[in-house]
Amino acid sequence: MCLLDQESYGYDIIRNLKEVGIEVDDGTLYPILRRLEDDQLLVSRWEMKGPRPRKYYVITEYGRDVREKMLTSLASMNTALETMKSRIRRKD
């Protein structure tokens, strides 16, 4: 399961990213979320409960398809990098 498979709001996203070692501030995150929404990879909704309104984000089906293709591509690149590293080690 990935971060935006379930609805999350900005602060929660930042906190979860920090837990896995990715430091990002809200000035960086929100423009990225808007861009992903513009590209139809995410959808959002406002919730007006509580002391402040919160905007919740969740991945779309199209976003899941794009994520799967990107993960496959990254895995392929990682395999190629590991192959190159092992060849370099054998030469040493």
Side-chain angles (χ1 to χ4, degrees):
M1 175 135 93
C2 289
L3 181 62
L4 290 174
D5 281 338
Q6 295 181 339
E7 284 188 325
S8 295
Y9 59 95
Y11 177 76
D12 200 35
I13 295 168
I14 290 170
R15 184 179 51 79
N16 282 300
L17 289 171
K18 283 182 183 180
E19 285 178 5
V20 296
I22 300 171
E23 294 288 328
V24 63
D25 62 33
D26 55 353
T28 301
L29 179 68
Y30 289 107
I32 292 170
L33 290 171
R34 276 193 296 279
R35 211 167 304 130
L36 292 171
E37 195 171 7
D38 288 345
D39 291 343
Q40 299 178 345
L41 300 169
L42 301 178
V43 292
S44 66
R45 70 172 181 84
W46 283 98
E47 187 167 298
M48 303 302 188
K49 296 177 187 172
R52 305 189 318 180
R54 287 186 176 160
K55 191 172 188 179
Y56 285 83
Y57 300 88
V58 68
I59 194 167
T60 62
E61 197 58 44
Y62 174 63
R64 283 185 182 91
D65 291 343
V66 170
R67 178 181 66 196
E68 191 59 39
K69 288 175 184 170
M70 290 179 77
L71 289 173
T72 299
S73 178
L74 288 170
S76 176
M77 284 192 282
N78 187 53
T79 299
L81 288 171
E82 291 300 322
T83 300
M84 289 179 2
K85 281 173 37 179
S86 68
R87 288 179 182 173
I88 290 170
R89 286 185 192 122
R90 281 188 289 206
K91 288 182 181 181
D92 290 340

